[in-house]
Amino acid sequence: MFTSDVLKGRVALITGGAGGIGFEIAATYARLGAKVMVASRNQERLDGAVTALATEGLTIQAIRTDVRNYEEVQSAVATTVSQYGGLDILVNNAAGNFHCPTADLSPNGWRTVIDIDLNGTFYGCHAAYPHLKKSEYGGCIISIATMLGLSGWPGAAHAGAAKAGIISLTRTLAVEWGDDQIRVNTISPGPIGDTEGVRRLYQETGREELERKKTALGRFGKKSDIANAAVYLASDLGQYITGENLVVDGGRWLKYVAA
Ligand code: NAP
Ligand code: COA
């Protein structure tokens, strides 16, 4: 779909990049010429991601990181820069979520999801900024959100509030860092089949069919749909796009309004 060198020479750090949508983005970026660092908590998963892509001859490394810890995020950024010579693209993909009615949600449950999704995204942006502004391609930040952040998300108030915060942070940084030629955008996926998110939130709660029908296209998306959007935004194809929320949801939010 893209020319094989569309990201050649660029360095990308992807949080939560060892599994699910994050791994699909990591693999796609690496196949299109990027040097990739994936950062998350589970060492086994990180090792698996490196092995899978290194056997294809792709450039990938991993660093154990909890995005709730600013020092660890700073260290992931510093390691990326020292290993690859700079940083051009940051993808804030790491997230935590669980279904829980708000009345039953403990303050620590609320804090945990806000810490991973919203604070982790802020930490990434903040730690990456001095390096992104030196990027010869123009720095690029992509954070993964969802339109459920804007509509409200019954059963996941913590994640909804965090994702809305990410969209707002993105718009602020697009303006604050525009003069530095850093573009800051979000992607809002709809339900993506065969992911931990869909398994937890829809399969485990018996809502899979209902959620499928909520999309205008009547089907779940694929991880590659999100990875392709992430290539578009990170490459020169998207070089005049900043502060945008690219919705890749099979028309779910529109049908939601129409239903
Ligand atoms: P996933 O497979 O559970 O991926 C989440 C990743 O985040 C995991 O690799 C996990 O790795 C990492 N992570 C969690 N907590 C972390 C922490 N504290 N520090 C560092 N890394 C952490 O989920 P997914 O379904 O692919 O979702 C990826 C992104 O898409 C998320 O932002 C999600 O909100 C968004 N999204 C997904 C869907 C969907 O349908 N799946 C829809 C809309 C939006 P470790 O456990 O190794 O740390
Ligand atoms: N329902 C209600 N509360 C829950 C819960 C659930 N299903 N799961 C966790 N919590 C609460 C815990 O009870 C705890 O609160 P408490 O101290 O008041 O009891 C708090 O959330 C933190 O839980 P803990 O298990 O200690 O957090 P953790 O840091 O080990 O894990 C999670 C973080 C909970 C987000 C975990 O699900 C995770 O690591 N997820 C990553 C993958 C993921 O969620 N993917 C989906 C992406 S869309």
Side-chain angles (χ1 to χ4, degrees), residues 18 38-50 62-64:
V38 291
S40 57
R41 298 165 304 173
N42 185 305
Q43 190 63 52
E44 219 173 299
R45 232 187 327 252
L46 289 169
D47 293 342
V50 169
I63 180 162
R64 226 191 67 76

Side-chain angles (χ1 to χ4, degrees), residues 139-155:
C140 171
I141 299 175
I142 297 168
S143 303
I144 309 298
T146 159
M147 289 301 279
L148 297 173
L150 300 184
S151 63
W153 196 348

Side-chain angles (χ1 to χ4, degrees), residues 21 41-42 45 65-67 93 95 144 163 190 192 195-197:
I21 291 170
R41 298 165 304 173
N42 185 305
R45 232 187 327 252
T65 310
D66 188 328
V67 297
N93 163 82
I144 309 298
K163 297 295 192 183
I192 304 302
T195 61
E196 185 66 15

